[in-house]
Amino acid sequence: MPRRTPRPTPVTPTTPCPCGLPKAYGECCGRFHSGTAAAPTPELLMRSRYSAFVAGDVAYLLKTWHPRTRPARLDLDPGMRWTGLEIIDRADGSAFHERGTVTFRASYRGGELCERSRFERVGGEWAYVDGEFLD
């Protein structure tokens, strides 16, 4: 019997947002994924990128990656199951900043990763530059 390839976790406008904020996906990260709004802070961009990993939205992940560091393509592991997000710290990233950082812990089935991500504005919108994995 052939093995089925797991699909990304289904998210709909009315399901709880994967980013952990107490809103439905459509009112939270879904508006950024659809392009009807842009994330106003690095933290919200990071949350929306986490939700894009959960939903398997490669186009959004590439769109919100800084052009200087964006890969030509991104292949997500179809078996990865993200299970939670915790914001540990944030620095800068207000309306008055051009750069900001967000430190977070993302849990997945079987483990977790901790990263300090760097963000910069590109054309007025926040973009993910790169990240440093932490222990």
Side-chain angles (χ1 to χ4, degrees):
M1 178 175 207
R3 289 178 51 132
R4 294 184 337 168
T5 302
R7 293 185 181 179
T9 303
V11 291
T12 69
T14 58
T15 58
C17 194
C19 82
L21 292 177
K23 294 182 181 179
Y25 169 74
E27 297 171 4
C28 196
C29 294
R31 63 197 168 115
F32 304 138
H33 295 176
S34 69
T36 59
T41 66
E43 179 184 342
L44 288 176
L45 180 60
M46 199 284 313
R47 286 180 177 278
S48 71
R49 286 176 56 83
Y50 170 83
S51 292
F53 275 103
V54 171
D57 190 344
V58 172
Y60 181 78
L61 291 166
L62 290 172
K63 176 185 165 220
T64 58
W65 210 310
H66 197 291
R68 186 176 70 240
T69 58
R70 179 187 307 133
R73 59 183 263 188
L74 182 62
D75 297 316
L76 300 181
D77 178 353
M80 179 65 85
R81 290 293 172 260
W82 297 99
T83 59
L85 176 66
E86 175 189 1
I87 303 299
I88 298 169
D89 191 25
R90 64 195 69 67
D92 299 327
S94 75
F96 303 104
H97 294 107
E98 292 297 314
R99 293 179 177 80
T101 61
V102 178
T103 304
F104 66 93
R105 179 176 294 111
S107 302
Y108 56 90
R109 189 177 55 203
E112 66 181 27
L113 67 86
C114 189
E115 179 180 307
R116 181 176 301 114
S117 296
R118 294 184 323 125
F119 298 87
E120 292 179 6
R121 288 189 190 271
V122 175
E125 293 187 7
W126 289 105
Y128 170 78
V129 177
D130 59 18
E132 170 190 359
F133 290 113
L134 308 171
D135 293 329

